[in-house]
């Protein structure tokens, strides 16, 4: 039985995995906490094989360690595979959402402008066409205020761009960008009317890729990320102000 965190798991295992993963990611089970398989079985009313499979996935993610006569121990945070898409989703749904978004956005600054520049040098005609089509779809969905459809087009744009870089390491980080974009949409960090300037900057990236202009692609991508960071920071400030008023 594989513990590969990217491998799909059955629905019952997925339920247990999601519940335990969230408790760890949210700090309800802090590092050093000890679990027992029999307690997992009883808490979630599942078989031992289901509990064991969920723990194997958590182990492969670096979230827990398992030793005989000790049990299953929640690992220190510096052992976690913080780029795992499941862990990213759990953390975005928890109390450290703003910090997680900040870290992910800072990571994007480190690779996505460079990937855009490479795409301008390496993209094929089909990839350039996909980028342009994604921008067109974003425009249509923004006008309709359909944020889910807008998200899908936005994610398609960035996945295509990273693949078009011709660098498999950048392409492998597509799930990081997917997570940032999904986190903004699903946690009410996106305005009901997507920022028109951001769509225009996506169009600028697509145009720079089509024309083979790496510097222009890099610059436009930096504007996209900066706008997203500023929006997230503004939303975080609003949240802190609301909390202060409530108190």
């Amino acid at each position: 039985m594989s513990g590969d965190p990217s491998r799909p798991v059955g629905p019952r295992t997925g339920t247990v995995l999601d519940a335990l993963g969230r408790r760890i990611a949210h700090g309800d089970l802090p590092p050093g906490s000890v679990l027992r398989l029999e307690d997992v079985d009883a808490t979630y009313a599942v078989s031992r094989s289901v509990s064991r499979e969920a723990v194997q996935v958590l182990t492969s993610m670096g979230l827990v360690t398992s030793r005989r006569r000790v049990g299953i121990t929640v690992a220190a945070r510096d052992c976690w595979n913080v780029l795992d898409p499941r862990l990213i989703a759990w953390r975005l749904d928890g109390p450290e959402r703003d910090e997680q978004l900040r870290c992910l956005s800072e990571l994007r600054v480190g690779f996505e402008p460079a990937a855009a520049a490479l795409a301008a040098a390496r993209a094929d005609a089909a990839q350039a066409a996909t980028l342009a089509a994604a921008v067109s779809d974003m425009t249509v969905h923004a006008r309709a205020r359909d944020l889910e459809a807008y998200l899908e087009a936005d994610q398609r744009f960035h996945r295509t761009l990273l693949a078009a870089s011709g660098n498999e390491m950048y392409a492998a980080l597509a799930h990081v960008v997917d997570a940032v974009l999904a986190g903004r949409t699903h946690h009410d960090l996106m305005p009901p009317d997507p920022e028109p300037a951001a769509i225009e900057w996506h169009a600028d990236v697509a145009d720079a890729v089509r024309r083979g202009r790496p510097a222009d692609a890099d610059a436009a991508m930096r504007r996209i990320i900066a706008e997203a960071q500023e929006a997230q920071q503004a939303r975080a400030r609003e949240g802190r102000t609301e909390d202060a008023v409530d108190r």
Side-chain angles (χ1 to χ4, degrees):
M1 183 181 296
S2 170
D4 178 2
S6 66
R7 179 179 63 87
V9 297
R12 292 182 68 79
T13 298
T15 297
V16 177
L17 173 63
D18 191 57
L20 290 175
R22 286 175 186 273
R23 292 178 66 194
I24 294 170
H26 296 180
D28 299 329
L29 289 173
S33 300
V34 177
L35 302 171
R36 298 186 305 163
L37 282 175
E38 50 265 40
D39 292 334
V40 176
D41 299 345
T43 298
Y44 301 104
V46 294
S47 67
R48 178 59 52 87
S49 63
V50 167
S51 296
R52 185 176 289 116
E53 183 176 19
V55 168
Q56 285 180 332
V57 176
L58 292 172
T59 301
S60 68
M61 295 170 66
L63 295 182
V64 301
T65 60
S66 183
R67 294 173 56 191
R68 282 189 175 184
R69 294 188 293 276
V70 174
I72 303 151
T73 305
V74 177
R77 290 170 67 101
D78 59 7
C79 296
W80 297 1
N81 176 8
V82 294
L83 292 180
D84 185 281
R86 287 187 176 117
L87 179 54
I88 289 173
W90 293 332
R91 295 177 79 176
L92 285 174
D93 197 34
E96 297 181 0
R97 178 183 305 145
D98 290 340
E99 176 68 10
Q100 177 73 160
L101 282 169
R102 180 188 65 78
C103 289
L104 290 169
S105 295
E106 289 174 354
L107 177 62
R108 286 183 71 189
V109 173
F111 71 85
E112 209 169 4
L118 287 175
R122 298 173 177 172
D124 59 32
Q127 289 168 327
T130 298
L131 291 173
V135 173
S136 178
D137 288 344
M138 290 170 66
T139 302
V140 170
H141 299 317
R143 289 172 181 164
R145 306 183 84 184
D146 186 340
L147 292 185
E148 282 298 327
Y150 181 92
L151 170 63
E152 190 282 326
D154 198 7
Q155 290 176 323
R156 177 163 27 100
F157 178 94
H158 290 277
R159 284 195 301 268
T160 301
L161 185 75
L162 292 172
S165 73
N167 183 307
E168 64 182 4
M169 300 297 180
Y170 286 154
L173 291 171
H175 72 274
V176 171
V177 182
D178 274 358
V180 175
L181 300 176
R184 292 184 67 199
T185 299
H186 296 151
H187 295 292
D188 299 324
L189 302 177
M190 277 283 287
D193 296 298
E195 176 59 51
I199 300 174
E200 185 62 33
W201 294 329
H202 281 75
D204 289 344
V205 172
D207 185 64
V209 169
R210 181 179 64 84
R211 293 175 179 271
R213 296 179 175 175
D216 291 345
D218 179 297
M221 182 53 66
R222 289 184 187 279
R223 287 193 289 271
I224 291 170
I225 297 172
E227 184 276 330
Q229 288 178 313
E230 290 167 6
Q232 287 163 204
Q233 291 165 1
R235 181 65 182 85
R237 287 193 296 270
E238 290 173 6
R240 288 194 292 270
T241 300
E242 290 171 1
D243 289 344
V245 170
D246 290 342
R247 286 196 297 269

